[in-house]
Each structure stands twice: as C-alpha cells, then as structure tokens.
Amino acid sequence: MSITTRTPRIAIIGAGLGGLILARTLHVHGIDAVVHEGEASRAARTQGGMLDLHRESGQRAMREAGLEDRFHAIARREGQDLRLLDHTGTVLLQQDTPDDAPLDRPEADRADLRNVLLDSLPERTVIWGHTFRYATALPEGGHRIHFADGTSTDCDLLIGADGAHSRVRPLLTDAVPRHIGVNSIECGIPDIDRTHPDLAAMVGRGNYWAIGANQCLAAQRNGDGRVRIYLSFRTPEDWLTTCGIPYAEPARARAALTDLFAGWAPQFTALIQACDDTVVPRPVTTLPVGLTWPGTPGVTLLGDAAHLMPPVGLGANMAMLDATELALALAAAPDDMTAALRSYETAMFERGAAAAQESAGIMEIMISPAGAQGVLEFFQQ
C-alpha cells in the first residue's frame, strides 16, 4: 500500500521584500506558497527609499532566488557615494564610487526591487486586499487564518513577514516594539535635478549626511530623481506629538523644521525649504535584542516581525536573508517541517541578535552628543 504525502499549505503574511523572497525561493525549489497582503495592489503606496544590498545577505538572497541578473539591471553603483558633513557645512568625508567599481553594496530602489520579485512569481501567488486579522490553531494541526473581509483559509505553515507591527507575532511571543529615544521626520524633493540643480549637485549621487549634536539630516538620492530627506532627533518618546509641528500643513511644517536647524549652515535649511508637501513623522522603535520564543508547530516569523532593529541599513538585508534561509530549510526537509523550522529559528535568532546589536550601536553613534565627529571616527576604525 502506498502512502500519499500531501503537499503542505504555506501561507505568508506580508508582501514586503522578505515575504516575496520567501515565496520566490520556495517556487525555485518547486514549493508553492500563497502571499496574503493587506494593500490593494502593488501600487497602493510608495515603497520607501534606496536599499544597499549586502553581498552576504541581500545579494545572496537575490542569487538564491535566481534573480541576480535582474538585480544587477536595477542596481546603482553610484548610490554607494557618501558625503559626511558637520553642522557648519564642513565636509569631513567624501567617498565617490568609480563607474566601473564592483557591486559591493549597490543601492536599489525598494520599489524596483519589489517589482522584480513580484514579476518573478506565478500569477495569483500574491492575494491583494487580504488583511490578516488573527489565526486559530486547528485540532489536526496548522491554523485557520481570518481576514478583514470576513474570509478565511487553512494552512499547515503560517509565516509572519508582516513587519514591525506583526499580527502573527502574538502567536509566538508577547514582545512588542519599544521606542528607543529617537524620532524622525521624512520629507523629500522631487525631480531635484530639474527643480533645484544647485541642491542636486550638493547632495551628489548617493547619501548626504549632515550631523550635529543629537540630530541629523540625511539626504538620499533615489533612482526616480527624488531625494528623500530624513530629519532625526534624540528626543522623548512623545516628541512627535508634543513638538507642535503641523504635519498636515506642509508650509508651516517646513518652517517649524527649519527652526529646529537654526544655527546650522544655510545649505541644510535650504534642503528643508525645498521639500514638497510630504511630511511624515516616524518614531524609531525596536524589539528586544536577542528576542526568542519556544518552537511552535506550524508558525514562524522573519524580518522585522522577528527582530525589528533601528533603520541603519541592516533590517531589509536581514529580512531577505531570513527568507532565503527559511526557504532552503523547508526545501531540505520537505517531510519534516518541525525540524526545518527548528533549524531556521536557531540560526535566525543568533544572526538577528547580532544584527540588532550592531544596528543599535550604529544608531547611538549617528544620533549622539559627539555629532559628526563620532560618525567620522566610526568610519576611520
């Protein structure tokens, strides 16, 4: 008598980079998965700025997913350029990338990267407009997933790739993100080469960081001609709501933000004044470094859902690496999902803790009383 083994039903919550890499790498290994995403479509919102994909993590993920060539087609070597200045406008460090430089940590627009991944998946892999609400364990194993539209579906493996405010995480741990004493506000200048060529030349082709005591202005050139600007401050947790900046009134908000940089070189306030009407407050929160949970049959997490860390360049890379390692673990043990999850989580806990600790250290240097000098010393180590 032959025994038929049923293919496990895999549900991924979240169509961010981690969830899509997981679905794609599983597909490469002949394993089907469904990605449930609350957004209405791939174009429902902007996807954020540039990402520098590291060779050992983000780039490896694209390689394991069979998408290395497509990644190279959208990567920007020049995005690796960096200019570091103090609040007086003095340039302390300038790193320019030759046009023929190797793709060490090239930048790629997050939207472009996401589109490459979406285009690589079979039709209907991603179900849009499917907002996860909660899941209940089934007596025979697995979970029943309940969505905001009143529908539900059953799965054998539920994977939370749903970010900082994960709804899957409570199935495994009661840990929640905590504020770390840093708040940011995002602004931006569209089509900067045409609208403000002088500022475009000043920012350059990559990242432009101006750093003072306990505050920072970071400008980032995007491939679509937009420069995203992040203004960061070491402040109390409630500062974004008590500082009086009228986010819904862009002109007044720009004026208030300019005042916060009084005493800085005028070139920096010129960047703020040139911004469009996008003014987005962003508190910086993290999960506890070294967060773990007891192995739970049929459910796990990856990326920010598992190890939310300060936004200093490691988070997206870790999410993509998590997804790759989880897919490879499942492909290596197709008949023993419990062993695959145990192997994945053991390694993920370790590398996630190391990356979170490193990110916390970098954030402490970036937003500190030492200002730009502390960052310069970091680069000179």
Side-chain angles (χ1 to χ4, degrees):
M1 181 179 66
S2 63
I3 298 176
T4 302
T5 302
R6 180 173 59 81
T7 302
R9 299 162 297 180
I10 300 175
I12 302 166
I13 308 302
L17 297 180
L20 295 175
I21 279 283
L22 175 58
R24 167 64 187 184
T25 309
L26 288 172
H27 174 67
V28 167
H29 289 272
I31 301 172
D32 293 329
V34 177
V35 181
H36 302 275
E37 170 55 52
E39 293 177 3
S41 71
R42 71 166 74 190
R45 66 175 178 87
T46 60
Q47 292 298 311
M50 302 293 290
L51 297 171
D52 63 323
L53 293 197
H54 302 181
R55 189 180 299 275
E56 71 282 1
S57 49
Q59 290 187 54
R60 181 192 163 206
M62 296 300 285
R63 186 166 59 252
E64 295 281 2
L67 299 172
E68 187 172 28
D69 289 345
R70 278 183 256 184
F71 165 65
H72 287 167
I74 63 169
R76 297 175 54 240
R77 286 179 174 84
E78 68 274 13
Q80 301 173 93
D81 288 5
L82 172 65
R83 297 178 184 182
L84 170 66
L85 303 89
D86 66 17
H87 73 287
T88 71
T90 300
V91 177
L92 302 180
L93 178 68
Q94 182 164 334
Q95 296 177 339
D96 295 323
T97 308
D99 292 338
D100 59 352
L103 286 170
D104 181 23
R105 290 187 174 184
E107 300 274 352
D109 274 60
R110 187 184 291 263
D112 290 344
L113 197 57
R114 190 181 192 225
N115 283 333
V116 165
L117 292 168
L118 286 167
D119 292 342
S120 75
L121 293 170
E123 189 176 357
R124 294 294 295 170
T125 296
V126 179
I127 302 179
W128 301 100
H130 236 199
T131 301
F132 176 92
R133 286 300 184 214
Y134 65 96
T136 52
L138 297 171
E140 66 273 20
H143 289 80
R144 177 160 294 159
I145 307 171
H146 301 267
F147 300 99
D149 62 3
T151 62
S152 64
T153 190
D154 295 347
C155 67
D156 301 298
L157 175 56
L158 172 60
I159 301 161
D162 50 343
H165 303 291
S166 171
R167 292 178 180 268
V168 179
R169 188 191 299 127
L171 294 172
L172 298 170
T173 172
D174 60 2
V176 295
R178 300 294 186 189
H179 196 267
I180 64 168
V182 174
N183 285 297
S184 295
I185 297 173
E186 179 185 343
C187 310
I189 306 172
D191 196 11
I192 192 172
D193 290 305
R194 183 183 64 82
T195 59
H196 297 88
D198 54 335
L199 296 180
M202 181 181 79
V203 169
R205 307 183 304 172
N207 287 287
Y208 180 88
W209 297 347
I211 301 178
N214 289 322
Q215 67 186 83
C216 167
L217 182 155
Q220 179 193 70
R221 170 80 70 142
N222 287 190
D224 62 358
R226 183 177 182 84
V227 165
R228 290 177 183 269
I229 297 175
Y230 300 92
L231 310 174
S232 301
F233 311 88
R234 187 163 295 282
T235 53
E237 179 177 355
D238 64 352
W239 181 81
L240 287 171
T241 57
T242 62
C243 64
I245 295 173
Y247 307 108
E249 301 177 53
R252 290 183 57 213
R254 285 190 292 270
L257 290 168
T258 299
D259 289 344
L260 292 175
F261 286 82
W264 286 47
Q267 68 205 61
F268 304 130
T269 52
L271 279 171
I272 297 172
Q273 291 161 2
C275 288
D276 63 8
D277 289 350
T278 301
V279 184
V280 183
R282 299 193 183 280
V284 179
T285 60
T286 66
L287 286 168
V289 174
L291 175 66
T292 64
W293 53 81
T296 302
V299 60
T300 193
L301 306 172
L302 64 81
D304 285 353
H307 42 60
L308 179 65
M309 58 193 73
V312 295
L314 291 179
N317 281 282
M318 286 297 101
M320 295 173 74
L321 182 57
D322 287 351
T324 298
E325 294 290 359
L326 177 53
L328 295 179
L330 291 168
D335 299 323
D336 194 345
M337 189 164 57
T338 298
L341 293 186
R342 185 186 310 117
S343 171
Y344 159 72
E345 288 180 345
T346 298
M348 183 269 289
F349 290 151
E350 183 175 349
R351 70 171 169 267
Q357 190 68 55
E358 181 181 354
S359 295
I362 293 173
M363 179 62 78
E364 284 295 319
I365 294 169
M366 291 288 294
I367 315 292
S368 79
Q373 193 59 42
V375 179
L376 179 62
E377 291 172 2
F378 173 78
F379 276 100
Q380 292 175 337
Q381 290 177 0

